Every structure is written in C-alpha cells, then in structure tokens.
Amino acid sequence: MSMQLIIRGLSMRKKIIAIIVILALVLSLAGCSKKENTNDTSGEAETEAEGESSTSTDIELPVEDDSNYVEDEAVVKEFAEFVDAQYKESIESSYITMHMFYLDPEAAGLNMDNVAIEFGEASTPEKNAEDRAYYQDLKAKLESFDRSKLTREQRDEYDALDWEINIVLQLLDEKFDYYEQLFAPPNSLDQNIITYLTTFELRSEREVQEIITLINSLPKYVDSAIEYAKIQQEKELFMTDFDTVIAACDDVLNLGMNSSVLTKLHEKIDEREEISQENRESYKAQISEAFEKSYLPVFQSIKDAMNEMKDGYNNTEGYSAFPNGADYFEVMMNYSLGLKDVSVKEMKSFLEERQELHMDDFYDYLTSHPEALAIATGLEDGIAESTGYTDYLEILEEVKSVMYKDHPEVKNLEYNVEPADPEEKLDEKHVAAYFLVPPLDGDHKQQMRINPSNDDVGTIDSYITITHEGFPGHMYQYAYMYDNLHSDYMKTLSVDGNVEGYAVYAEFGALDYLNSVQEASKKISILDTQLGYITYILVDIGINYEGWSKDDALDFFTDAGYALDESSISEIYDYLRCTPTSYAPYGYGYELIAVLREKAEEELGDKFNAKEFNTALLNAGPSPYSIVQHHISEYINNAK
C-alpha cells in the first residue's frame, strides 16, 4: 500500500490532483500490502473502462489513429498553462498534499502565501454546492480544448482530468451529502491522525515550524468532524463501532505525554543538525506544548462525542442500508478502480468469471501436480515452505539484481526500511506494510514501513509483502514514474486500482525470482491470493451493495470453502462495512492488468515481450484504466 495522506472533508474546490474527496483524514493505503483476515488472503478483479463491458481476453482495446491528431502549437501551449495552473492551485489548496510532494515548494513555483497550514474542516452541503459549481466550470474549460490538437502526453492529461472531474461531480451529488464516514474504524479519523504525525517527515527548519502550527489546528478540524458526525446521526447516515473508537482514544489518553508519536517528533528535530541546539530545544518544547494542549484534547473530544452519541442511530449493515447507499458504493468502486460509469453488476459478473477461471486453474494444477495438494493442505494447517531469507533488505537486494530482465531500468533505487510505530496499530487495519510516496523534488529515496508484528521474514507471505511494497512493486514503480513521466500532474494522480493492481501484478511476477521454494508453492500462493481477493470483494459487494446480513456472508464464505466461525465472520463483516472497496484496488486492479496481459500475449504470440509490456504499463502512470488501456493498445499495435 502506498501511504498517501488524503484529507477528505475539506472543501473539494481546486483538489483536482489527488481528487481528495469528501470527509476524513484517510490514509489511502493506495499501496499497502493487505493482511489476511483469515488463513486466506483477499483480493479482487474488475473489467470495464469508459463504460464498455469486457470480461476476458476478447476485450476490445481502444485504438487511436495518430493520423487523426495534428498538434497545434498555440493549443498545446494554452493547455500546458491550463494544466499547470490547475495543478499548482490544487497543491496549494492542501498543506498535506504540498508537504508530501515538495521539499521546496517555492522552488517548484508554488506560493506559500496561498497554503493554509492546517488540517482544514469537515465538509458541509454548502461547501459541496460551491464545489459542484467549481467543477462544472472546470469541466467546461477542459472541454473547450480540442483534444486532437494536443501532444500524446497531453492527451493522457486531458483524459485523466476528464475522468477526475466526472467522478468528483458524482461524489459531490447532493444526494450523497453526509455519506462519507469519518469515524468508521479501523481507518477512523483518530487513527489517521496518529499515522499522519508518525510518518510526517521533518526535512527542514521550516517544516519543524509548520508541524507545530499543524498540530495546533487539530481542534478546529476535529470539532468540525464531530459536528458533521452528529448531523449524520440525526439523518440516520452514521456508521461506526463506538467501543473500538472509544478504546482507541483511551489508549492515546493513557499514554499521554509518554506517546511514541511525541518521542519520534522530538527525535526528528534532533536529527536536523543544521538547527542550533538552542532552537532544537525550543522547538521540542513548542511541540510538547502543542501535543498537550491540542493533540491529546482532540482524542478526549472524540471519546466524549462517541459516548454521547452511543445510544443514538448507528448503521451496522453497511452502505446498502442507507437510502442512496448502493449508488454511493457504485461511485466509490469506480473512483477506487479508475473506471468510468461501470455498474456494480458488471463488476460482479467480471469477478465471477475470473473466479471460475482461477478455480479451474487451481483444480487442474492440483490434479496434475500431486505435490501441490500437500502444499495446499499444509497452508490450511498454517504450514508454509520457508524461503530461507532472514532479512528484508536481503530480499530487496536480490530482487533488484535480477528484475531488469523483465522491467525497464531505473537510475536510482535507494531505499530505507523501518518498522512502523506500534501506535499505528497496523494489525487492526490488516496492513502488513506500507510505502511512503517520496517528494517530487527530493532525492527520491524510497521509504517502507513494516508491521512490527511480522517477525518471520522467511515466509512466502513476507517475500510477497516486500516485493509488493519494494521491488518490483511500489518503490520501483514510483522511482520509474518519477524518472520517466514528464507531467507532475500525472505523477501525482495515484488511482488506487492502478497503483495497487500493479503492485499485486509485480509481487506475482517476483515469485519467478524466488528459486529457494518449489514451483508448486509459488503457484498455490498465487491462486490462493487471487481467489481470496475475489472472495472478499464479492462479500464487500454483498454487504455494501446487495444488503447481505452476517448470515449471508457466512453462507457465502462456507460455499467458497472457508471454514470460519461466528467471531471471524463478525470481524470480517464489520471491517468490510466500515471500509468499503478496501480490497478492490488490489484484487480487481490486478485482474484488469492480468486481462490486458492475456490480451497482449494472445494477439502477439511469440512477439510478446514482458519487458516491453511492463514498460507500457508503467508509462501510463498511476492513471485511470482507460489510459492504461490506450498504452497497452499502442504496445500491441507497435509490436505486431
């Protein structure tokens, strides 16, 4: 998972870059390796882009005849200025976004006077109405450009902007006011604040000053979020697990000033050798004061609010229980996956088709490889073959030394791997590890954080986690994009289905480099993961779109061969109702890429080249699926 801090709940205006939509400080675990909720993994698949249904290798890829495009110098210049202005306006509208992507904002042409150093405020219907008008105007400006007169790269930008604007307008529909859930664990607002401050990089004296201001803005943000939640409850649109949120706040309050969050901030200040010792001590004192007067009190406020609201309305059935919940879930799925107006019914049909394909593959493999049956049985009993690795860095170095036979080279792949802070509670979020998106103007050193409870490096699961987050997954993916994409706008898109789907695709491919375990172990691991993802996504759809009860979910899991008790079902059910679409980017995003590769292999035969396919895939950037389709279509046509 790529750890991108996304502020939801701020005014949508100008946020055309990360389309940071509606309510809550959310960690778009747009790149996190998901931990299993049972002994099996999870995942999903998807089809369709631009509303065109496609469920197998017979999909029709879009073909653009370059002879239809004639670049116009004046239009090219005007469009470049338009995108640049929108991009800068977007970055300046969110301090969180600006800090993530820039070490030196002013050198990048950003105006710090336009940047409010704050978390912001939760959304309101009035803000949403203003934003709808803004995006409708932006849509008209975009459509005033003649796409056929743009450069190849600009046509990608045009298509990405068109997708973003349309999906944002759908999410801003007034019928969805108060649908975003701020306090639904495990990614509730209180937990996201902890993770954000834990991962905040203090890279200069200016940023030390800014983090103090930012912490002091927390009460304003949390107060607006609580007010929002109370209105939600009045409208019967509220969803949480009160006891979980209250207990999490108690954990923070019990630690008080002994919190590792504060300790780490002090340590990061001490690491800034360019700051005088006197100023370092002053800054640490100011952060401690902000921590005591602003940080800790907001957790008390959240706890008090949850206790006050505890006897009121609380949806325990998922989005489908809300009047427009199924429609909202459908838009969320399209947003998460980078699709455009694809129905959930079409998505489900695609998933079921891919599920049947993988089941047939699983059965055929087990019947033709007797040793695979023993491996599959061992997995059920918690027994897995060891890879022999004893260090995460050893995995990264060995994969980096061999992956360029299948992937284009990248100049700089420096990296750092550290355990995540225990206060982040990654186990509760079902996160094995995550990747921190590097700034655009830095040294691009890649950062990974590992769940400290993952203490067995020698498992295939650990190998998969490291290759998902590292090489040839996210760390490689972003290093390549930063080196090769020309548009900062395209580099910062981060469509989850594309980003996470690629990382799952990469982790499966990286198993080819693992020579210390049997081929059957690798094959079973892949099939088990593919089927697990699809199962969880289908249950997600069942709960949040079709209105499944816990008994319905249990029946589905039982029919799929999962032996789960009532407690496990309750945990899974509550996780999926509170974090809808969380597995879709991984499993469904992967299946979309897999279908494109199957299509390329089918059409090209012996002319298919994995490195060239992967290059086309990476050159699309973290963009909507239609753009990925165009790049793969170009690769196929050029390779014939």
Side-chain angles (χ1 to χ4, degrees):
M1 146 187 308
S2 57
M3 188 67 75
Q4 291 203 56
L5 271 289
I6 294 185
I7 296 294
R8 296 183 179 177
L10 309 185
S11 172
M12 291 289 298
R13 180 169 301 195
K14 305 175 185 174
K15 289 187 175 55
I16 198 62
I17 297 310
I19 56 175
I20 345 191
V21 192
I22 316 184
L23 252 335
L25 183 61
V26 164
L27 293 162
S28 153
L29 301 174
C32 290
S33 296
K34 287 286 185 184
K35 292 192 74 175
E36 304 170 18
N37 287 339
T38 70
N39 290 332
D40 302 90
T41 52
S42 339
E44 109 177 70
E46 168 147 354
T47 176
E48 302 30 55
E50 304 294 341
E52 299 172 356
S53 177
S54 46
T55 56
S56 67
T57 54
D58 63 357
I59 60 172
E60 291 297 323
L61 290 177
V63 177
E64 290 194 327
D65 185 352
D66 284 340
S67 64
N68 294 328
Y69 300 101
V70 180
E71 293 178 20
D72 183 299
E73 185 176 346
V75 177
V76 167
K77 182 176 183 294
E78 184 181 358
F79 186 76
E81 292 171 350
F82 168 73
V83 173
D84 183 63
Q86 291 304 318
Y87 174 75
K88 288 177 178 175
E89 207 171 15
S90 169
I91 295 293
E92 291 170 353
S93 70
S94 167
Y95 174 80
I96 306 297
T97 304
M98 185 211 70
H99 174 265
M100 177 171 66
F101 285 118
Y102 289 99
L103 294 171
D104 190 347
E106 292 178 332
L110 300 172
N111 186 347
M112 287 299 295
D113 291 338
N114 296 333
V115 182
I117 304 171
E118 62 180 11
F119 283 100
E121 295 183 68
S123 184
T124 65
E126 292 74 23
K127 289 178 184 176
N128 289 345
E130 292 177 4
D131 293 337
R132 280 195 297 274
Y134 175 84
Y135 281 100
Q136 286 161 355
D137 179 64
L138 192 61
K139 181 179 178 66
K141 290 179 181 177
L142 177 67
E143 292 175 347
S144 70
F145 289 96
D146 186 341
R147 184 178 178 278
S148 68
K149 295 181 179 180
L150 302 176
T151 67
R152 176 66 185 85
E153 291 80 9
Q154 286 181 323
R155 295 201 298 274
D156 279 353
E157 291 179 317
Y158 183 103
D159 293 344
L161 280 164
D162 179 65
W163 173 81
E164 284 195 288
I165 292 168
N166 278 285
I167 201 75
V168 168
L169 284 171
Q170 290 180 58
L171 286 164
L172 286 171
D173 191 306
E174 60 185 342
K175 70 182 180 182
F176 297 143
D177 286 348
Y178 294 106
Y179 270 60
E180 185 76 8
Q181 302 299 317
L182 290 140
F183 293 102
N187 293 322
S188 54
L189 180 145
D190 55 295
Q191 292 302 300
N192 290 323
I193 290 171
I194 293 171
T195 300
Y196 178 69
L197 293 179
T198 300
T199 58
F200 190 94
E201 294 294 317
L202 292 176
R203 303 166 300 202
S204 67
E205 186 167 3
R206 171 182 59 80
E207 291 181 342
V208 174
Q209 297 165 347
E210 289 168 355
I211 191 63
I212 296 167
T213 302
L214 195 65
I215 293 172
N216 282 322
S217 78
L218 275 171
K220 176 184 175 183
Y221 176 61
V222 171
D223 286 348
S224 71
I226 290 171
E227 180 182 358
Y228 177 93
K230 289 180 176 179
I231 295 173
Q232 275 187 305
Q233 192 174 56
E234 290 173 7
K235 294 178 176 293
E236 298 191 345
L237 294 173
F238 186 69
M239 179 163 53
T240 190
D241 180 332
F242 289 108
D243 291 339
T244 297
V245 176
I246 291 168
C249 289
D250 276 335
D251 288 343
V252 174
L253 295 169
N254 289 337
L255 284 170
M257 299 298 287
N258 295 318
S259 168
S260 62
V261 176
L262 179 60
T263 300
K264 282 199 170 183
L265 287 171
H266 282 180
E267 290 173 350
K268 289 175 182 178
I269 291 173
D270 282 331
E271 290 169 3
R272 305 309 325 156
E273 295 180 358
E274 74 277 13
I275 303 175
S276 69
Q277 182 64 35
E278 181 181 356
N279 284 345
R280 271 184 255 163
E281 294 305 317
S282 173
Y283 288 138
K284 286 192 289 185
Q286 291 177 59
I287 280 187
S288 293
E289 182 179 11
F291 201 84
E292 183 176 14
K293 293 183 177 180
S294 296
Y295 177 83
L296 293 175
V298 302
F299 289 88
Q300 185 66 54
S301 296
I302 294 170
K303 175 185 174 180
D304 292 344
M306 293 299 106
N307 277 317
E308 178 186 340
M309 298 168 65
K310 199 171 182 180
D311 294 331
Y313 173 85
N314 183 33
N315 173 12
T316 59
E317 303 173 66
Y319 273 93
S320 57
F322 295 145
N324 299 301
D327 291 341
Y328 185 69
F329 177 78
E330 185 165 272
V331 178
M332 289 175 70
M333 285 289 281
N334 277 274
Y335 166 63
S336 175
L337 293 162
L339 300 177
K340 189 173 182 180
D341 299 329
V342 180
S343 73
V344 172
K345 291 181 180 178
E346 291 173 302
M347 295 179 189
K348 183 178 179 180
S349 176
F350 173 73
L351 287 170
E352 290 174 339
E353 179 178 325
R354 299 296 291 181
Q355 181 184 49
E356 183 177 356
L357 183 152
H358 297 320
M359 284 294 293
D360 288 346
D361 194 9
F362 211 150
Y363 176 78
D364 291 344
Y365 193 81
L366 288 177
T367 54
S368 59
H369 295 77
E371 75 279 12
L373 184 59
I375 291 169
T377 303
L379 289 176
E380 287 295 315
D381 295 333
I383 301 169
E385 188 175 358
S386 174
T387 64
Y389 287 110
T390 58
D391 183 82
Y392 291 124
L393 301 184
E394 183 185 3
I395 297 173
L396 288 172
E397 285 300 310
E398 288 200 13
V399 171
K400 187 168 71 168
S401 71
V402 296
M403 69 181 183
Y404 289 131
K405 66 180 182 181
D406 300 313
H407 302 82
E409 290 195 27
V410 172
K411 299 174 187 174
N412 181 15
L413 279 181
E414 291 187 29
Y415 58 88
N416 179 45
V417 179
E418 294 180 4
D421 191 289
E423 287 188 46
E424 293 183 56
K425 298 183 178 180
L426 295 189
D427 281 331
E428 294 179 15
K429 297 174 183 177
H430 306 287
V431 172
Y434 62 82
F435 157 76
L436 287 164
V437 176
L440 293 169
D441 58 347
D443 59 11
H444 298 175
K445 188 171 185 177
Q446 309 296 312
Q447 302 282 341
M448 186 193 304
R449 300 293 179 264
I450 301 291
N451 187 328
S453 68
N454 287 357
D455 55 2
D456 191 350
V457 180
T459 65
I460 293 179
D461 283 346
S462 289
Y463 179 88
I464 286 175
T465 294
I466 291 299
T467 54
H468 179 108
E469 303 300 338
F471 311 142
H474 290 313
M475 294 203 301
Y476 166 79
Q477 177 187 25
Y478 271 82
Y480 179 88
M481 290 190 303
Y482 279 19
D483 279 356
N484 293 278
L485 298 189
H486 301 294
S487 167
D488 282 353
Y489 165 64
M490 295 299 288
K491 293 175 186 177
T492 57
L493 267 171
S494 192
V495 175
D496 283 359
N498 182 331
V499 173
E500 293 304 336
Y502 168 81
V504 173
Y505 167 80
E507 77 185 39
F508 289 166
L511 286 170
D512 286 342
Y513 314 139
L514 184 60
N515 299 318
S516 58
V517 300
Q518 301 176 71
E519 288 301 314
S521 291
K522 294 186 280 188
K523 180 69 173 179
I524 293 299
S525 179
I526 290 173
L527 288 168
D528 183 58
T529 300
Q530 290 169 330
L531 288 167
Y533 273 133
I534 291 173
T535 299
Y536 274 82
I537 298 165
L538 290 173
V539 175
D540 188 5
I541 290 171
I543 294 169
N544 290 294
Y545 187 79
E546 298 177 344
W548 284 10
S549 66
K550 288 184 181 179
D551 287 341
D552 294 329
L554 177 58
D555 290 343
F556 183 85
F557 275 116
T558 301
D559 291 342
Y562 289 74
L564 300 176
D565 57 24
E566 189 173 332
S567 174
S568 297
I569 283 295
S570 292
E571 181 185 355
I572 294 167
Y573 187 92
D574 287 340
Y575 180 83
L576 291 174
R577 75 176 175 86
C578 288
T579 57
T581 78
S582 59
Y583 284 101
Y586 301 84
Y588 203 9
Y590 160 75
E591 295 293 348
L592 289 174
I593 293 172
V595 165
L596 292 178
R597 175 147 177 170
E598 290 162 13
K599 176 73 173 178
E601 290 176 340
E602 180 183 277
E603 290 206 14
L604 295 177
D606 292 341
K607 293 182 179 180
F608 176 82
N609 181 283
K611 179 181 281 191
E612 292 174 2
F613 175 88
N614 291 338
T615 302
L617 185 61
L618 289 160
N619 283 337
S623 56
Y625 185 58
S626 62
I627 294 175
V628 180
Q629 286 182 305
H630 280 299
H631 279 260
I632 298 305
S633 179
E634 287 180 352
Y635 157 65
I636 292 172
N637 291 330
N638 291 336
K640 285 182 177 178

